[in-house]
Amino acid sequence: MHGWDIRSKLELEAHLEPESFSTFVEMFTGPFGWFRWILVPGMQRSTPVRYRFEVMGPVSLRRDLVVEGHAARLEPVTAAPAHVTFCCAMEPFVLLLYGCLPLPDAIAAGHMTAEGATELIPTFAQWFRGM
């Protein structure tokens, strides 16, 4: 990630190494994932909201981020419908997790699509800032 960060300041089209995707994903979604430490405290939901991420590429991933009360959890996709579904390739997903690509920018640039209750996207963007 540090290499990408430096290259992104010097090159117009800097990219992550595809071989690193599975490591980045494991660091966030694994049993000791960093996910739980990168949320902005104080945002509370009175009813649960389910954000679904469908990530395509050499390393694919389907996860639901469920926000309930003051907490959030990542879980495998279930039959429960998502309020918002985000679709993207692995690189924008990793950059989002690391806070290098804000969600509104990813959507505006066409790196990510969003379907469903899109009015919930600004709340997510405020609440989740990445590493």
Side-chain angles (χ1 to χ4, degrees), residues 97-120:
L97 292 177
Y98 269 84
C100 298
L101 180 62
L103 182 60
D105 294 354
I107 293 170
H111 299 304
M112 185 175 289
T113 62
E115 296 177 356
T118 55
E119 67 275 7
L120 295 172

Side-chain angles (χ1 to χ4, degrees), residues 27-89:
M27 289 169 70
F28 278 94
T29 62
F32 303 105
W34 294 347
F35 166 76
R36 68 188 111 224
W37 296 309
I38 56 177
L39 305 172
V40 176
M43 301 295 282
Q44 181 174 351
R45 297 290 313 179
S46 57
T47 59
V49 177
R50 183 174 299 269
Y51 296 97
R52 181 162 294 155
F53 288 89
E54 296 193 0
V55 182
M56 294 134 312
V59 178
S60 295
L61 175 76
R62 293 184 75 220
R63 288 285 189 280
D64 283 352
L65 170 64
V66 181
V67 181
E68 188 171 11
H70 289 289
R73 65 185 180 278
L74 275 176
E75 58 185 44
V77 170
T78 65
H83 293 90
V84 182
T85 300
F86 299 106
C87 297
C88 63

